[in-house]
Structure formats: C-alpha cells, structure tokens
C-alpha cells in the first residue's frame, strides 16, 4: 500500500474510534483464517507501552493490519530498530508511525530526574535529549517533552541506513503522532 494511503487509513480509523463509530473490521475468525498463511501489515507502529494507548484499538484496525512495537516512552534501540527494518524489508510496509501520547509516565519520570533502580534508567537516558530540547520552549514542559521525544525518534529512524534509503526512494514514509488521552484523537507532530 502506498505510504500516503496507509496514513489516510490510520487517520480514518482514529476518526471512527474518537467518534464512537468503530467498525471492528478484521477482528473475526474468518479474518484469522485469511491471514494465517502470511501477514501484510500496511503500517508499522512504534508506540508507548501505556495500557491506555493500544494502536489496534485507537486506529480501529484488526488482525494482520498493524505491525506493532511497544515500549515505554516509544524509544528506539537496536532491537526495536531491527524489528522495524525487518518489517519494512519482509512485508514491504510503506509507513512507520511513531506514536507518543499525552502525560506519558516515562517522559514525566525523565523530567523528574527520577532515581529508579534497575533497567528503567535505560529508558530515561533515551528520553533525556527530548527533555533537554523541551526545556527552553514556551508552554507545558511535559507536553513539549512528549512531542520532542516523538520528533527525535522520527529523526533517528530517518538516519538509519536501510530505512533512509527507502525514504529517499519514496517507498517509505516515517511520521510522528501524539495521542490525546482525553478525547482519543491522534494529531500529527512530525
Ligand atoms: Zn507513555
């Protein structure tokens, strides 16, 4: 599917969801049988692990539609980048959408300089550049940091070599979006 059509399909699905008109399309046993032999997801979503932001639900999509990677703070690391490169190569998926959201706990913890034992520090370290960028911006610091984090992850993705080549050839589009927890809408921010 053409990257722009894929993005239109996500936007239309989110519009249905936010207006209480979900289709539950592709969520049946017959769909499961159709795709059991192979998948052709039309979009790759790198989203936050937050329980309130499940991509299949907020974009009103079903089985086999989205290749979803979720991690707190929707950050990028080598394993996540590998998953994205794999999906792009293997399925020819033309769209990657980085999905952040309002009041993200991982971004908020980074803002507070929280000292959390264990591996959480890996997440906070990845988000820190977004917090640094947001500090001088007018407006709400957490909201700005969430947006900066989405934009930085999109920029990082565009720099990754196999991905960059496909973007250059216009076979792949990489965009960033922010989910509004209060009204269910997704707004493009990158
Ligand atoms: Zn989050």
């Amino acid at each position: 599917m053409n990257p722009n059509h894929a993005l239109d399909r996500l936007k239309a699905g989110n519009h249905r969801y936010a207006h209480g008109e979900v289709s539950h399309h592709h969520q049946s046993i017959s769909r499961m049988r159709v795709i059991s032999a192979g998948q052709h997801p039309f979009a790759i979503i790198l989203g936050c692990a937050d329980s309130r932001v499940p991509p299949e639900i907020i974009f009103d999509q079903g089985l086999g539609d989205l290749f979803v990677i979720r991690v707190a703070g929707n950050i990028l690391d080598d394993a996540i980048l590998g998953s994205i490169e794999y999906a792009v190569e293997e399925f020819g998926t033309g769209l990657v959408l980085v999905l952040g959201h309002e009041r993200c706990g991982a971004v908020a913890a980074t803002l507070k300089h929280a000292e959390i034992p264990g591996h959480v520090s890996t997440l906070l370290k990845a988000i820190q550049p977004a917090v640094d960028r947001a500090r001088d911006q007018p407006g709400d610091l957490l909201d700005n940091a969430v947006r900066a984090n989405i934009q930085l992850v999109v920029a990082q993705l565009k720099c990754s070599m196999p991905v960059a080549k496909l973007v250059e050839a216009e076979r792949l589009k990489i965009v960033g979006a922010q989910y509004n927890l209060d009204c269910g809408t997704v707004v493009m921010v990158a």
Side-chain angles (χ1 to χ4, degrees):
M1 186 186 290
N2 170 298
N4 291 319
H5 289 166
L7 186 55
D8 287 345
R9 192 162 156 189
L10 286 180
K11 286 178 178 173
N14 177 246
H15 186 271
R16 288 194 301 275
Y17 166 75
H19 289 79
E21 297 161 359
V22 284
S23 66
H24 297 297
H25 192 53
H26 287 175
Q27 295 178 13
S28 63
I29 294 297
S30 63
R31 171 66 171 171
M32 180 194 78
R33 292 192 184 114
V34 166
I35 60 165
S36 67
Q39 57 171 323
H40 301 282
F42 72 87
I44 299 163
I45 311 284
L46 169 55
C48 184
D50 192 297
S51 62
R52 299 165 294 180
V53 195
E56 286 88 348
I57 294 180
I58 67 164
F59 289 114
D60 189 28
Q61 301 299 323
L63 297 168
D65 291 332
L66 305 178
F67 188 92
V68 176
I69 301 147
R70 291 178 71 180
V71 57
N74 44 271
I75 59 155
L76 202 57
D77 69 9
D78 287 348
I80 295 163
L81 188 53
S83 302
I84 292 171
E85 288 173 6
Y86 167 77
V88 166
E89 289 294 332
E90 185 72 15
F91 314 125
T93 309
L95 179 70
V96 180
L97 184 137
V98 178
L99 181 66
H101 65 97
E102 268 194 319
R103 304 192 290 277
C104 180
V107 178
T110 309
L111 271 175
K112 282 186 211 148
H113 298 290
E115 290 284 336
I116 303 171
H119 293 81
V120 178
S121 61
T122 306
L123 296 172
L124 306 194
K125 217 176 279 175
I127 298 169
Q128 189 61 47
V131 167
D132 295 341
R133 178 187 273 201
R135 283 217 189 274
D136 298 329
Q137 295 172 350
D140 182 77
L141 180 56
L142 176 55
D143 201 47
N144 290 339
V146 164
R147 210 160 24 250
N149 186 44
I150 297 164
Q151 290 161 346
L152 285 173
V153 170
V154 168
Q156 284 171 42
L157 262 174
K158 285 181 177 171
C159 289
S160 139
M161 214 38 218
V163 169
K165 274 187 187 164
L166 292 167
V167 171
E168 175 83 19
E170 296 186 354
R171 280 176 52 205
L172 182 68
K173 195 178 176 100
I174 301 173
V175 297
Q178 186 174 347
Y179 177 72
N180 185 315
L181 288 173
D182 302 309
C183 61
T185 52
V186 166
V187 177
M188 305 310 297
V189 297

